[in-house]
Amino acid sequence: MQRAVLMLLEPIYEHDFMDCSHGFRPGRSAHRALEQLWKQGMDNQIGWVLDVDIKSFFDTLDHAQLRAIISQRVKDGVISRLIGKWLKAGVMEAGEVSSSEEGTPQGGVISPLLSNIFLHEVLDKWFANTVRPRLQGRAMLVRYADDFVIGFDREDDARRVLAVLPKRFAKYSLSLHPTKTRLVAFGQPRKGPTGSEAREESSFDFLGFTHYWGRSRKGRWVIKRKTASKRLNRSIKAMGQWLREQLHTPMREQWKTLKAKLQGHYGYYGITGNADALEQYETSVKRLWHKWLNRRSRQRGSMTWERFGKLLSEHLPLPPPRVVHSIYNAKS
């Protein structure tokens, strides 16, 4: 039933949703959001970035506010009642069902659309129609689900929005994380009087990538992206745990799954300029696999690096790091 209602409402709201929104929408993805952020950041020379974190958004979304927003567009009483029932359905924990007046239906196929409808009203439309016309300089918003950043070319505009943003979200019973929401000086580094860089390196994380300024191969300043250190460490740790659990699984079966896991990692993190982090992940995976293969050998230490290298090169090769999402394709 949720799928049917989703198929009914999605085309209606797709007509309303804005280009800054990318999460859980047909034909859009996290990489399209990253592409838009990179291109607009380069074209508009963004100097300040508001890195925002909504505190427990999916758990605190107010049902009454959401129903009021939906009623502006959906007049069918049957659809409205169905959505109301799904919101009140609650969750089951330890055999007990509990309901709440906050949050989206856990695991519901309609939950992403409801979240987008809510944030379209609270953030996207407000920023485009109310905030941007009042700013002195240029500004951009890029949002993926509840994760978003706002870029500015003027500091005074950035600080004005930072001051009013918590009030806007409080109006809809949402709050911003006090320590994770921050204003970042992100301007392109410039030469100081002595010839050194006048601004210290600054960066921010968005969708698993750290964004920072760096030199291109031709020596020009460009916005670069690399796998965020927390994400990289988490991925390596998860791989180590998985390999430990596969201690007694046949080697060829491990290899098949390892290939899929590496290709999946490259499929998301394989973007232009992220070669070092991809190689670090690949090297870590090889070391971990060698470690656990060595531990299961009948004679501990028999899986030498030389033997392991020969195994990889001749029998069980792993896919090398590769760029899947290129900025050069984005520029064209």
Side-chain angles (χ1 to χ4, degrees):
M1 183 65 75
Q2 286 193 26
R3 174 64 64 183
V5 173
L6 175 67
M7 293 173 65
L8 174 68
L9 295 182
E10 192 172 63
I12 298 174
Y13 280 101
E14 275 298 312
H15 184 269
D16 297 341
F17 288 161
M18 297 182 173
D19 194 49
C20 63
S21 169
H22 299 272
F24 310 114
R25 294 181 58 191
R28 292 174 178 257
S29 65
H31 290 101
R32 183 164 173 179
L34 290 164
E35 175 188 322
Q36 184 184 67
L37 176 59
W38 182 86
K39 190 175 187 306
Q40 291 191 12
M42 291 292 296
D43 292 346
N44 297 327
Q45 293 296 303
I46 293 301
W48 297 86
V49 171
L50 192 53
D51 184 10
V52 184
D53 184 273
I54 306 175
K55 192 174 182 180
S56 303
F57 170 72
F58 291 101
D59 295 328
T60 59
L61 190 152
D62 185 85
H63 293 175
Q65 298 268 18
L66 176 59
R67 288 196 296 268
I69 292 172
I70 293 175
S71 67
Q72 298 173 12
R73 201 72 169 83
V74 178
K75 304 300 182 182
D76 189 295
V78 175
I79 301 299
S80 298
R81 285 192 294 273
L82 279 173
I83 293 175
K85 288 181 178 180
W86 292 329
L87 290 173
K88 293 179 180 179
V91 296
M92 178 176 288
E93 295 180 345
E96 296 184 1
V97 178
S98 61
S99 59
S100 172
E101 293 299 316
E102 298 176 337
T104 54
Q106 292 190 4
V109 296
I110 202 169
S111 294
L113 176 62
L114 297 180
S115 302
N116 270 335
I117 292 171
F118 196 82
L119 286 176
H120 169 75
E121 180 70 25
V122 175
L123 178 64
D124 302 351
K125 193 165 72 170
W126 170 74
F127 181 79
N129 300 336
T130 304
V131 175
R132 187 179 285 146
R134 290 174 167 79
L135 300 179
Q136 299 298 313
R138 293 170 295 184
M140 67 172 192
L141 166 67
V142 180
R143 180 175 69 81
Y144 186 89
D146 65 325
D147 196 358
F148 69 95
V149 293
I150 309 176
F152 308 85
D153 65 351
R154 291 173 58 107
E155 181 182 1
D156 55 346
D157 284 341
R159 295 197 178 278
R160 286 171 59 197
V161 175
L162 177 60
V164 75
L165 199 61
K167 300 175 185 177
R168 173 66 180 179
F169 277 81
K171 180 180 177 181
Y172 290 88
S173 304
L174 294 174
S175 60
L176 304 184
H177 200 289
T179 58
K180 294 181 180 179
T181 298
R182 62 193 184 107
L183 181 61
V184 180
F186 193 68
Q188 177 179 315
R190 295 178 175 84
K191 294 292 184 181
T194 60
S196 59
E197 302 300 341
R199 175 171 286 173
E200 295 182 359
E201 181 181 356
S202 60
S203 63
F204 66 94
D205 290 351
F206 183 61
L207 298 181
F209 292 91
T210 297
H211 297 68
Y212 64 100
W213 284 96
R215 294 282 190 181
S216 69
R217 291 182 178 180
K218 296 182 179 180
R220 294 181 300 202
W221 284 109
V222 296
I223 297 175
K224 292 191 170 185
R225 289 86 53 87
K226 62 182 179 181
T227 309
S229 58
K230 289 184 179 179
R231 287 287 189 96
L232 181 59
N233 292 335
R234 188 190 311 164
S235 298
I236 294 172
K237 184 177 180 180
M239 180 63 79
Q241 179 62 35
W242 179 82
L243 285 168
R244 180 180 181 179
E245 295 168 356
Q246 306 304 311
L247 187 62
H248 301 294
T249 303
M251 192 182 303
R252 185 161 291 274
E253 289 186 23
Q254 291 186 32
W255 170 67
K256 290 179 181 179
T257 307
L258 268 178
K259 286 199 305 178
K261 287 179 175 291
L262 282 167
Q263 289 168 343
H265 186 88
Y266 303 152
Y268 186 80
Y269 294 103
I271 64 173
T272 303
N274 197 31
D276 289 346
L278 294 179
E279 290 174 2
Q280 183 180 345
Y281 181 74
E282 180 202 30
T283 300
S284 298
V285 169
K286 287 180 177 178
R287 287 176 176 171
L288 286 167
W289 198 23
H290 171 260
K291 169 186 173 181
W292 290 108
L293 287 179
N294 196 34
R295 289 197 178 186
R296 77 186 220 159
S297 299
R298 293 181 179 179
Q299 184 177 355
R300 184 67 62 88
S302 62
M303 179 63 74
T304 63
W305 270 108
E306 182 179 359
R307 182 185 173 191
F308 181 67
K310 187 176 181 179
L311 180 72
L312 292 181
S313 62
E314 297 182 5
H315 303 286
L316 304 177
L318 295 175
R322 67 188 186 96
V323 173
V324 179
H325 310 277
S326 172
I327 59 173
Y328 304 106
N329 295 335
K331 290 172 68 176
S332 62

